Amino acid sequence: MLYHLALILIGPILFLQGKYVKRVTPKLPEPDGHRHGEVGQGKGLSLLIVGDSAAAGVGVDHQQQALSGRLVAPLSKTNAVRWKLIAQSGDTSRQLLDRLHAMPQEEFDTAVVSIGVNDVTGLNRASAWAENVRLIVQLLTEKFGVRKVYLSCIPPMHLFPALPNPLRWWLGLRAKQFNVLMSAVAESERSCIYVAIPYSGDLAGIAGDGFHPGAEAYRVWGDYVAELIQGGVAE
């Protein structure tokens, strides 16, 4: 892989840039707002949102502006939605898997997963990443009764303003490769859909830290996944 060769050739530069970014990038809090609720009328739909800081809504001030709010609002126009958000900033796929194991059993129709950025930055092995994604899907379907799992793609890290080059380029390569592996897991699981979110080319909706989604990116993400979910419910 190209990123393996690059790590060998420019590893010290990447390491120093990574330390610099960690030191200077502002640490944004998770937003205020409810993390569960029931809203809307119509056919019942239970929704579980799980993952990392992006799932938690870091980058905006309130959950209504974040992924949960941007998902629930359009879905509640056609469905009676019972929803829950389980997300923690900094979580990797392994930590999310552990978190799901620790949760009490509860039934949901649909799950939306946001995970992977911390696996990329944490230099987790590609094989471990793919296996963790597969296990997350398996746990959601077997423990929580989820009939459809929507795996959100890792965002285009090669566009993150907070990252200097060549670190931005290198992490972008890893993110793209991890997305290929996530897509392959989705193709192998009947209950799973890989979601290639149609972010704008310049990632204009990014938050002030140059790393997390902002309100516009969450709107695009939420609207897109909500449309996929509504299409599946209507089938």
Side-chain angles (χ1 to χ4, degrees):
M1 293 295 180
L2 179 58
Y3 60 78
H4 287 311
L5 178 60
L7 183 60
I8 294 172
L9 295 177
I10 58 173
I13 297 174
L14 300 176
F15 174 76
L16 291 174
Q17 286 188 327
K19 291 188 66 175
Y20 171 79
V21 169
K22 187 174 182 179
R23 185 173 72 250
V24 304
T25 301
K27 186 174 177 59
L28 301 180
E30 296 181 4
D32 296 331
H34 297 299
R35 294 197 172 209
H36 60 87
E38 296 184 21
V39 63
Q41 295 182 337
K43 183 179 179 180
L45 173 65
S46 51
L47 172 66
L48 178 63
I49 305 163
V50 300
D52 50 19
S53 58
V58 171
V60 293
D61 296 327
H62 198 278
Q63 288 295 341
Q64 290 180 346
Q65 303 168 292
L67 177 62
S68 62
R70 293 298 189 176
L71 268 173
V72 172
L75 290 174
S76 64
K77 294 178 181 179
T78 55
N79 296 88
V81 181
R82 175 177 63 86
W83 64 277
K84 178 175 285 189
L85 169 64
I86 302 295
Q88 178 65 50
S89 294
D91 270 7
T92 63
S93 57
R94 180 68 251 178
Q95 289 168 314
L96 174 57
L97 192 58
D98 292 342
R99 199 173 299 281
L100 292 174
H101 275 297
M103 281 180 60
Q105 187 174 2
E106 188 175 355
E107 294 289 318
F108 293 93
D109 302 315
T110 302
V112 176
V113 180
S114 166
I115 202 71
V117 167
N118 297 309
D119 291 84
V120 171
T121 60
L123 306 184
N124 291 349
R125 291 183 295 110
S127 58
W129 156 253
E131 177 63 7
N132 287 343
V133 172
R134 188 189 67 79
L135 291 173
I136 288 169
V137 173
Q138 182 180 18
L139 190 58
L140 287 170
T141 56
E142 294 182 357
K143 178 178 179 179
F144 298 97
V146 174
R147 294 196 292 269
K148 190 66 70 175
V149 179
Y150 294 85
L151 295 175
S152 298
C153 69
I154 300 172
M157 297 182 70
H158 63 285
L159 298 177
F160 282 10
L163 301 174
N165 276 317
L167 180 64
R168 184 193 305 179
W169 166 80
W170 186 76
L171 290 176
L173 283 179
R174 283 183 59 82
K176 290 175 183 177
Q177 176 61 20
F178 277 29
N179 276 335
V180 170
L181 295 172
M182 183 192 285
S183 178
V185 171
E187 289 180 5
S188 68
E189 300 285 343
R190 294 181 58 188
S191 61
C192 206
I193 292 178
Y194 172 75
V195 182
I197 306 158
Y199 293 117
S200 62
D202 58 0
L203 210 66
I206 201 164
D209 65 350
F211 197 86
H212 287 94
E216 176 60 17
Y218 280 123
R219 183 194 66 78
V220 170
W221 184 4
D223 286 351
Y224 188 72
V225 178
E227 186 174 341
L228 292 177
I229 293 173
Q230 286 171 324
V233 170
E235 290 178 356

